[in-house]
Amino acid sequence: MSAPHPHDHPYREAIMAEVHARPVEIVPEACRLRRLVFVMPAVSGAMMRVFHAFESFCEETGYPLPTLASRQYSFATPRHHVTWEFHTEFVTVTWRSDLDDWENWPDDIGLGALTQAQLIGAMRIDVTADSTVRDALVPGFNLPSLCLADIESGNGQVATDFVPDADRFTRFELAAGRLTVLRRSIVVRRLLEVETYRTMALLGLPLAREAAGDLRSIELDLTALVESLSAATTPAAVQQSLSELHKLSVRSGQLSERLGYRFAAGQAYGDILRMRLANLRENSTARGSTLTHYIGNRVDPGLATCAAMEKRLAVVSDKIERAIGLLDVRIGVDMQVQNAAVLDSIAQTARSQFLLQRTVEGLSTIAISYYLLGILSYLLAGPLEELHWEKTMALSIAAPFVVLAVWLMARAVRRAHTPAGMH
């Protein structure tokens, strides 16, 4: 009897596919690569609209249609080898051509599908079969920001200055003559990713600078409000302070909503950037800085600014919540005091009503007894005269019994109308 086949986990296929989701594109020993990085607008369905527009482009030009599961899609035109990559919030378009290709914006790679997206990065890598970057190419870079380093333990060399040219492309020179085909292709991909994630990691920095004034205003308003809490001695003043705190909470919440995702994404991109730089295995040269050193000196402070802003925002939110909590406790205590005073007043009123009720019952007993004795005097007048009894003496003898009977009757009525447990 053969053993039964085990059932696959529902995520097994997706996990296996992830290993090959973004394969390395093999590049020749001499070529020119360009990459554009487009950020999607912050509206629902923006990425799907771009994908469908790209799908229409492929259908119109006769290229095989991409699938939703394919996050990296490559095709060849008569002049270029093109690769589209779909990420969470951005799309990259990379194409490869000959070293003598100077067309930065070709019309056969599908850029028309990205009309709603915004360009955030553009780069060009010239790959040569040289062992080092040619001296004649170095003067074309900006000297103060020149990065020229050995990579892959000295088997290759890369140069850049991170300065965009007239067409907004950042230029890289890669001398990969001593690298194997696979290592050359891997290095090219890492350089593309370094520039891509360097750009995306700093996308939150302008937002942090713009939000600094709003955050400072919230901090100052909160400080002034907390200092004034001791002067809020009346319920109206406490309610006013609570209302102001809720307004500050809304403002800080809106700021957090606007910045939270951007800062978290920036930190994630920064982590990927550091890994890609470490994988280049750089060594410094006498002619320029390493990419790791230069980018670290620029990107890390920017990410630190975003992290500090995020921490300040969290601290402000915590302070606001604590202040609201304190005021809620104070309002609760004030309400308990008021309720105790109301209950005490109700108890005093009830006691007064009880005493009044007893007084009324006593007076009622006397009044009823008086009238009842008057009725008895009329009823007994005839019989007492026939019996020759003294009328006054008879009523005097009957009076205590009449009063007792009326009192017992009033007590029975009161007990009948009193709830159980309150007798």
Side-chain angles (χ1 to χ4, degrees):
M1 182 177 179
S2 61
H5 292 289
H7 295 290
D8 282 349
H9 190 280
Y11 297 151
R12 182 175 187 270
E13 184 177 350
I15 292 172
M16 294 300 295
E18 184 64 26
V19 179
H20 307 286
R22 303 189 192 279
V24 175
E25 300 281 351
I26 301 300
V27 300
E29 63 177 3
C31 62
R32 174 167 288 164
L33 297 101
R34 294 180 178 85
R35 166 172 285 191
L36 302 176
V37 184
F38 291 90
V39 176
M40 296 299 103
V43 295
S44 177
M47 184 65 75
M48 286 304 302
R49 285 192 288 273
V50 169
F51 179 84
H52 291 315
F54 175 63
E55 190 178 39
S56 299
F57 161 77
C58 292
E59 186 175 13
E60 292 171 1
T61 52
Y63 300 129
L65 296 180
T67 62
L68 286 173
S70 61
R71 287 173 291 167
Q72 178 171 312
Y73 180 75
S74 299
F75 59 94
T77 73
R79 295 177 295 168
H80 309 103
H81 181 277
V82 187
T83 299
W84 279 59
E85 291 185 53
F86 294 89
H87 296 259
T88 303
E89 60 173 334
F90 66 93
V91 174
T92 64
V93 182
T94 309
W95 66 98
R96 186 177 73 242
S97 56
D98 296 332
L99 278 172
D100 58 357
D101 175 23
W102 294 101
E103 187 177 7
N104 287 328
W105 305 95
D107 56 6
D108 62 345
I109 61 175
L111 295 180
L114 292 158
T115 54
Q116 300 300 317
Q118 295 176 312
L119 181 69
I120 193 66
M123 64 179 301
R124 187 189 91 204
I125 301 179
D126 288 347
V127 182
T128 65
D130 300 322
S131 299
T132 60
V133 175
R134 283 179 251 172
D135 293 338
L137 298 175
V138 175
F141 291 106
N142 181 48
L143 183 59
S145 61
L146 175 63
C147 296
L148 203 162
D150 293 332
I151 58 174
E152 290 289 308
S153 302
N155 290 318
Q157 202 170 73
V158 63
T160 185
D161 58 1
F162 295 103
V163 177
D165 61 15
D167 271 347
R168 295 174 287 173
F169 281 80
T170 302
R171 171 188 162 210
F172 285 75
E173 291 287 342
L174 173 62
R178 293 200 297 265
L179 297 177
T180 64
V181 174
L182 181 58
R183 295 309 303 173
R184 178 174 64 240
S185 302
I186 292 174
V187 168
V188 166
R189 184 173 185 85
R190 285 174 180 165
L191 288 175
L192 291 170
E193 291 179 338
V194 162
E195 181 63 4
T196 299
Y197 290 113
R198 178 190 72 84
T199 305
M200 293 301 299
L202 291 179
L203 198 56
L205 183 58
L207 286 176
R209 290 170 176 166
E210 292 173 6
D214 293 337
L215 181 56
R216 184 57 180 163
S217 174
I218 293 174
E219 290 173 335
L220 293 175
D221 290 347
L222 178 60
T223 300
L225 189 56
V226 170
E227 290 176 351
S228 67
L229 289 182
S230 59
T233 56
T234 64
V238 172
Q239 288 291 344
Q240 178 64 26
S241 298
L242 187 60
S243 176
E244 294 299 324
L245 281 173
H246 280 298
K247 291 179 182 179
L248 287 180
S249 180
V250 170
R251 288 170 59 189
S252 67
Q254 291 173 338
L255 207 56
S256 296
E257 186 68 22
R258 196 165 81 231
L259 302 177
Y261 173 79
R262 185 73 273 143
F263 287 168
Q267 292 297 329
Y269 293 140
D271 292 339
I272 297 174
L273 173 62
R274 295 183 190 98
M275 287 189 292
R276 296 299 184 267
L277 287 169
N279 290 335
L280 287 175
R281 294 183 290 178
E282 289 183 283
N283 294 314
S284 60
T285 66
R287 295 192 291 174
S289 174
T290 63
L291 298 178
T292 302
H293 182 74
Y294 185 84
I295 292 177
N297 286 341
R298 275 74 183 172
V299 174
D300 288 347
L303 294 178
T305 299
C306 295
M309 178 70 67
E310 188 175 23
K311 185 176 180 179
R312 284 173 59 192
L313 195 53
V315 169
V316 166
S317 298
D318 289 342
K319 287 182 177 180
I320 292 174
E321 293 303 318
R322 286 200 299 270
I324 290 175
L326 288 174
L327 280 183
D328 285 339
V329 171
R330 181 171 178 177
I331 291 173
V333 171
D334 290 343
M335 290 182 64
Q336 289 179 0
V337 172
Q338 292 176 0
N339 291 338
V342 170
L343 291 174
D344 185 62
S345 175
I346 291 174
Q348 292 293 336
T349 302
R351 179 172 178 80
S352 299
Q353 289 177 344
F354 175 76
L355 295 175
L356 179 62
Q357 180 182 355
R358 286 300 176 89
T359 302
V360 171
E361 287 179 358
L363 294 175
S364 299
T365 300
I366 295 172
I368 293 173
S369 300
Y370 172 78
Y371 286 113
L372 185 58
L373 286 173
I375 293 173
L376 285 175
S377 68
Y378 286 109
L379 292 174
L380 298 176
L384 290 175
E385 186 177 350
E386 290 292 330
L387 295 174
H388 302 288
W389 287 5
E390 185 73 30
K391 178 180 177 182
T392 303
M393 181 61 70
L395 291 177
S396 297
I397 294 171
F401 297 99
V402 170
V403 172
L404 179 61
V406 172
W407 180 78
L408 290 174
M409 181 184 67
R411 183 181 179 188
V413 171
R414 185 177 72 249
R415 290 176 64 87
H417 290 84
T418 302
M422 295 185 63
H423 296 294

